[in-house]
């Protein structure tokens, strides 16, 4: 469903799988979070993205996703959290996450359009530009 852009069906399928082991955070949960973001289920999306990023904190895609979604969520608290997370990342993870976004690897990973827009918005922010130096 995901590859066909059927975000609602994809989210439903992944949500059913996630419900079977809700305490066992897995990398595929990130995909679920991105699909929820596409469906404008922002609080749920951010909650899952945070859990995935906390468990897989050395994974550049997770790092890029959580800061991008938080940044695009729009509230001051979310943007502050995105900035805090970005600056707190290990330098190598931050550089890899930055490359993930700037080299548009999210397109290869088939991120939904809203998540792509979120990543592009974050990368243009002063937070991403200044802390990448």
């Amino acid at each position: 469903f995901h590859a066909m852009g059927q975000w609602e069906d994809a989210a439903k399928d992944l949500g059913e799988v996630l419900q079977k082991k809700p305490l066992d955070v897995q990398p595929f949960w990130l995909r679920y979070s991105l699909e929820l973001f596409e469906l404008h289920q922002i609080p749920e999306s951010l909650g899952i993205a945070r859990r995935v990023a906390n468990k897989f904190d050395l994974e550049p895609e997770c790092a890029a996703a959580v800061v991008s979604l938080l940044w695009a969520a729009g509230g001051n608290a979310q943007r502050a959290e995105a900035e805090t997370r970005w600056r707190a990342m290990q330098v190598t993870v931050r550089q890899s996450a930055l490359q993930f976004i700037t080299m548009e690897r999210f397109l290869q990973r088939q991120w939904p359009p809203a998540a792509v827009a979120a990543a592009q918005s974050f990368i243009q922010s002063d937070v991403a530009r200044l802390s990448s130096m």
Side-chain angles (χ1 to χ4, degrees), residues 71-113:
W71 189 260
N76 289 336
Q78 287 89 355
R79 287 199 168 191
E81 182 182 347
E83 183 174 346
T84 299
R85 282 180 174 270
W86 187 252
R87 292 176 194 258
M89 279 180 210
Q90 291 181 11
V91 173
T92 55
V93 175
R94 187 171 52 233
Q95 289 171 341
S96 295
L98 190 62
Q99 285 181 334
F100 182 88
I101 297 171
T102 57
M103 296 178 72
E104 297 187 341
R105 290 189 183 133
F106 48 75
L107 297 176
Q108 295 167 337
R109 301 284 296 144
Q110 298 180 335
W111 280 21

Side-chain angles (χ1 to χ4, degrees), residues 37 65 67-73 111 113-123:
F37 194 81
V67 296
S68 296
L69 298 183
L70 284 164
W71 189 260
W111 280 21
V116 169
Q120 291 169 335
S121 174
F122 178 75
I123 205 66

Side-chain angles (χ1 to χ4, degrees), residues 21-38:
K21 291 187 177 183
L23 300 177
D24 185 21
V25 178
Q26 295 295 318
F28 76 86
W29 286 27
L30 182 63
R31 173 82 56 207
Y32 181 54
S33 172
L34 297 173
E35 288 159 354
L36 291 176
F37 194 81
E38 182 68 26

